[in-house]
Amino acid sequence: MNRAPFIAVEGPIGAGKTTLATMLSEELGFPMINEIVEDNPYLDKFYDNIEEWSFQLEMFFLCHRYKQLEDTDRDYLKQGQPVLSDYHIYKNVIFAERTLHGQKLEKYKQIYHLLTHDLPKPNIIVYIKASLPTLLQRIEKRGRPFEKNIEHQYLERLITDYDTAIRQLQEEDPDISVLTIDGDTEDFVLNKTDYERIARQVKELIK
Ligand SMILES: Nc1ncnc2c1ncn2[C@@H]1O[C@H](COP(=O)(O)OP(=O)(O)OP(=O)(O)O)[C@@H](O)[C@H]1O
Ligand SMILES: Nc1nc(=O)c2ncn([C@H]3C[C@H](O)[C@@H](CO)O3)c2[nH]1
């Protein structure tokens, strides 16, 4: 691998991204960048009324991630140091295409491309796939109040959107390594052997 490893753990809501990214960052000794949730002023409003708040929320996530990735590039990647994150910047588009429509979506996409075209992109994606029942179980276990009434259809669409997006990312850049984990059958939290296998596979990719 020519440049420092930049690993993103991705997958739909509640798949276990933060959990696995934290475990891998400890194992590999890589610094972790993670998205803020508790200080997001729009998330609860958004889940109450998606139409009304989607643009504000998508822009908030975009600006926040833009700043994080600018800092990450300067502080780590440009110094040749590896990092691990619990998101890929492209998730902005995955969500925006689901929550925005018409002119707002077009405006958002223009801003997205303007802001992100020269940002560093992950060279390894650990993609946690999971079915609706698994996601619902984990979302319930975590118990965030604003996710209590999350629509099943919204989650189901995101599951499909994620599959399409990860495939596209890999087609657009064949140098990206994608490690897909079946979150329904491989349990990196409760099953030590599963976790160790995943960690071994990630280590192979960064050799
Ligand atoms: N493999 C697993 N087995 C059992 N529980 C898990 C597993 N992975 C994650 N969890 C639990 O599921 C919940 C959601 O996990 P986590 O917060 O890591 O998901 P996430 O993908 O980062 O979510 P979000 O999309 O909201 O950022 C947490 O309570 C976590 O402890
Ligand atoms: N609409 C929308 N756009 C995003 O870019 C985005 N990124 C994360 N999320 C939601 C999922 C979890 O509920 C919660 C924490 O990940 O925030 C998003 N929602």
Side-chain angles (χ1 to χ4, degrees):
M1 179 167 295
N2 295 330
R3 45 185 191 108
F6 178 6
I7 306 175
V9 181
E10 261 300 359
I13 302 173
K17 298 177 290 295
T18 308
T19 308
L20 180 60
T22 307
M23 293 166 82
L24 289 173
S25 112
E26 280 164 18
E27 168 107 25
L28 301 169
F30 290 3
M32 176 167 161
I33 47 170
N34 44 1
E35 67 184 12
I36 62 156
V37 176
E38 305 314 327
D39 293 336
N40 186 321
Y42 298 111
L43 261 177
D44 51 352
K45 293 189 181 80
F46 167 82
Y47 280 115
D48 270 353
N49 187 342
I50 292 187
E51 282 296 311
E52 182 71 19
W53 290 99
S54 49
F55 193 76
Q56 276 78 0
L57 180 76
E58 303 311 346
M59 287 302 300
F60 178 90
F61 272 119
L62 179 56
C63 292
H64 179 71
R65 291 174 181 146
Y66 174 76
K67 166 83 174 123
Q68 268 194 329
L69 291 174
E70 245 192 335
D71 294 350
T72 300
D73 201 25
R74 184 194 58 223
D75 297 342
Y76 299 107
L77 297 168
K78 282 219 169 86
Q79 319 285 334
Q81 287 181 39
V83 279
L84 211 146
S85 80
D86 67 351
Y87 66 86
H88 188 299
I89 188 77
Y90 193 70
K91 93 183 272 182
N92 285 283
V93 176
I94 302 177
F95 277 90
E97 285 191 334
R98 202 37 76 199
T99 69
L100 300 175
H101 315 280
Q103 275 221 328
K104 277 190 180 165
L105 177 58
E106 286 316 307
K107 284 181 187 173
Y108 178 86
K109 280 193 191 166
Q110 286 179 25
I111 302 168
Y112 172 86
H113 287 296
L114 207 66
L115 289 183
T116 63
H117 75 276
D118 56 353
L119 284 180
K121 305 289 186 312
N123 38 27
I124 297 174
I125 301 174
V126 179
Y127 171 38
I128 311 170
K129 271 172 79 93
S131 65
L132 183 66
T134 301
L135 297 182
L136 288 171
Q137 212 177 32
R138 294 191 182 156
I139 290 169
E140 195 186 332
K141 177 177 168 194
R142 181 170 59 194
R144 287 182 186 143
F146 51 79
E147 288 173 344
K148 235 183 168 58
N149 298 317
I150 200 162
E151 287 200 8
H152 292 194
Q153 198 186 51
Y154 179 64
L155 286 173
E156 265 173 341
R157 287 183 172 156
L158 283 172
I159 291 172
T160 316
D161 295 342
Y162 259 100
D163 269 345
T164 310
I166 299 290
R167 213 174 27 246
Q168 273 171 5
L169 285 173
Q170 204 168 20
E171 279 167 12
E172 279 163 20
D173 183 355
D175 288 339
I176 298 179
S177 304
V178 177
L179 172 64
T180 302
I181 293 168
D182 181 344
D184 293 343
T185 57
E186 294 179 73
D187 196 326
F188 43 84
V189 172
L190 302 176
N191 188 327
K192 198 163 177 263
T193 317
D194 283 353
Y195 170 69
E196 284 171 353
R197 190 180 48 251
I198 293 167
R200 227 179 9 255
Q201 286 172 313
V202 173
K203 284 177 188 166
E204 275 298 311
L205 293 176
I206 58 179
K207 261 187 185 165

